[in-house]
Amino acid sequence: MIDRIKTLLQEVEELKVANADELEALRIKYLSKKGEISRLMNDFRNVASEHKKEVGQHLNLLKEKAQQKINELRDNFSGEDVSSDDLDLTRTPYPITLGTRHPLSIVKKEICDIFGRLGFNIAEGPEIEDDWHVFSSLNFAEDHPARDMQDTFFISHDPTVILRTHTSSVQTRVMEKQQPPIRIICPGRVYRNEAISYRAHCFFHQVEALYVDKNVSFADLKQVLLFFAKEMFGTDTRIRLRPSYFPFTEPSAEMDISCNLCGGKGCAFCKHTGWVEILGCGMVHPNVLDNCGIDSKIYSGYALGMGIERITNLKYRVNDLRLFSENDIRFLREFESAN
Ligand SMILES: [Zn+2]
């Protein structure tokens, strides 16, 4: 029996295969339940007890070597098999399921594209900001409620390091570094200390536009707003401006567009007014220009800002803000056609 084992051992060590089928045949020949080694194991029962130890050792060695060899052969050609003549480059590929862009990204891109066509460049800034860029430079009074702990996230215990509450901080950063003409659009994420509900979230997204040059007037602002509204919501869209207040603009206004659901006739969505509010805007406050090193006697400018969630809601009727950050694939897939 030992001779038989030795012959097999030699056979195993000299094995060669050309493809997976041959390898499988060898595996069956040696290692399967009805293979050579199993057969020897069966015969092992009949070996006289004084020889069992010696025969057992040889048998175990054979089993080990055979397994090792088969594994080795498999490793050797597993890579080659793919690049053989069987490779068909004309075959239809497996269908690839593509992801979809997030609705907020779709709308952000659309807004940036519209302003891009008017010559606005994209500017970005840090989300962790200091008090100066978020509040002080933008003409917020020392006791302005927005500085309150209720509204703003502070980083550790340092009251001057905060998460930005609006993207206006990017405007400040650009104006500090660059003299007019400045024509920028700043998209980004902002943070406010709000309880999360269907209409409020602790983080959301804004886009702000800023134009500073000589002789910029409110009429220029209005023209840009009308252009934007028509591009974004359709050529039939009308706009109206209502006086408002922001610390960083004077005069300030809020812009409504004619309700794109009922065409201005009045419906539940527009609370039967025919108008829906979409953004805030105004002429940049002279104090803001001066704070950033731009001479307000020579230059003037306008700024406008809107929430991307708000615009997305108007375009796609998403009535629960939380859906935007829950990563529910059923929600995200609804925007496949908008990609
Ligand atoms: Zn309506």
Side-chain angles (χ1 to χ4, degrees):
M1 183 156 172
I2 288 180
D3 287 345
R4 173 77 187 130
I5 294 173
K6 281 184 176 164
T7 317
L8 275 176
L9 188 60
Q10 199 169 352
E11 229 180 270
V12 163
E13 276 175 351
E14 287 166 6
L15 286 180
K16 280 194 183 68
V17 290
N19 57 45
D21 293 339
E22 279 183 39
L23 178 68
E24 181 59 11
L26 289 179
R27 190 192 64 79
I28 290 166
K29 184 178 174 197
Y30 293 101
L31 296 173
S32 70
K33 274 185 185 160
K34 288 180 180 166
E36 299 276 2
I37 294 172
S38 290
R39 211 175 302 152
L40 285 171
M41 291 286 190
N42 282 336
D43 296 345
F44 183 66
R45 270 179 277 158
N46 308 323
V47 172
S49 54
E50 66 265 32
H51 297 306
K52 269 207 159 128
K53 192 179 171 195
E54 197 192 351
V55 175
Q57 279 172 349
H58 278 90
L59 198 52
N60 279 337
L61 182 71
L62 171 66
K63 201 177 163 186
E64 203 179 297
K65 288 276 178 195
Q67 187 66 60
Q68 211 176 329
K69 187 72 185 180
I70 298 282
N71 289 348
E72 206 178 288
L73 289 170
R74 188 178 291 140
D75 289 348
N76 276 347
F77 77 77
S78 60
E80 290 165 25
D81 198 37
V82 181
S83 61
S84 71
D85 294 341
D86 299 338
L87 183 64
D88 180 3
L89 291 173
T90 63
R91 210 185 99 175
T92 313
Y94 292 113
I96 299 166
T97 318
L98 285 178
T100 59
R101 276 194 297 149
H102 194 280
L104 294 178
S105 300
I106 296 169
V107 171
K108 179 179 89 173
K109 184 177 180 297
E110 204 176 339
I111 297 169
C112 290
D113 284 351
I114 293 168
F115 280 93
R117 292 202 288 279
L118 293 171
F120 285 77
N121 292 321
I122 291 176
E124 284 175 327
E127 292 180 14
I128 298 174
E129 267 290 6
D130 50 44
D131 180 90
W132 168 255
H133 289 99
V134 176
F135 296 127
S136 299
S137 64
L138 291 162
N139 205 33
F140 279 80
E142 275 303 317
D143 55 355
H144 193 281
R147 290 170 180 257
D148 194 48
M149 297 290 261
Q150 303 291 325
D151 293 317
T152 305
F153 285 116
F154 292 81
I155 303 277
S156 69
H157 298 296
D158 186 344
T160 61
V161 184
I162 57 180
L163 289 177
R164 67 181 178 193
T165 57
H166 50 190
T167 43
S168 310
S169 53
V170 183
Q171 303 185 11
T172 317
R173 287 187 175 272
V174 172
M175 284 192 285
E176 279 176 343
K177 282 198 212 96
Q178 194 186 323
Q179 282 296 307
I182 294 170
R183 202 175 347 211
I184 52 164
I185 180 139
C186 328
R189 180 176 293 171
V190 299
Y191 303 83
R192 295 208 190 150
N193 193 1
E194 304 234 19
I196 295 169
S197 72
Y198 73 97
R199 59 193 189 90
H201 211 293
C202 58
F203 67 82
F204 51 98
H205 301 77
Q206 285 187 333
V207 179
E208 296 200 9
L210 171 75
Y211 178 40
V212 184
D213 204 348
K214 286 176 186 158
N215 303 319
V216 179
S217 73
F218 204 97
D220 298 321
L221 168 63
K222 199 174 170 187
Q223 193 56 41
V224 165
L225 292 172
L226 183 64
F227 177 81
F228 168 73
K230 284 178 182 288
E231 290 287 300
M232 194 76 199
F233 297 102
T235 46
D236 296 337
T237 311
R238 287 166 294 131
I239 64 168
R240 78 172 181 189
L241 292 162
R242 287 177 289 107
S244 185
Y245 171 78
F246 304 110
F248 36 81
T249 46
E250 181 57 38
S252 305
E254 275 173 62
M255 183 177 97
D256 299 339
I257 57 165
S258 50
C259 175
N260 57 346
L261 199 62
C262 62
K265 288 190 200 78
C267 66
F269 185 76
C270 58
K271 298 191 187 90
H272 303 283
T273 60
W275 297 96
V276 282
E277 185 195 323
I278 68 162
L279 57 78
C281 58
M283 301 305 291
V284 181
H285 199 292
N287 289 354
V288 175
L289 293 175
D290 291 333
N291 282 342
C292 298
I294 292 172
D295 191 342
S296 61
K297 290 186 190 69
I298 303 172
Y299 296 106
S300 56
Y302 62 73
L304 61 100
M306 67 195 102
I308 301 179
E309 279 83 350
R310 173 88 182 139
I311 305 292
T312 310
N313 181 6
L314 284 170
K315 272 204 94 120
Y316 298 110
R317 314 277 167 224
V318 180
N319 48 20
D320 188 337
L321 268 181
R322 291 168 294 191
L323 285 167
F324 289 126
S325 52
E326 280 171 352
N327 281 334
D328 187 329
I329 205 149
R330 292 166 300 182
F331 169 71
L332 297 174
R333 282 215 178 111
E334 288 183 35
F335 298 89
E336 257 167 4
S337 60
N339 273 269

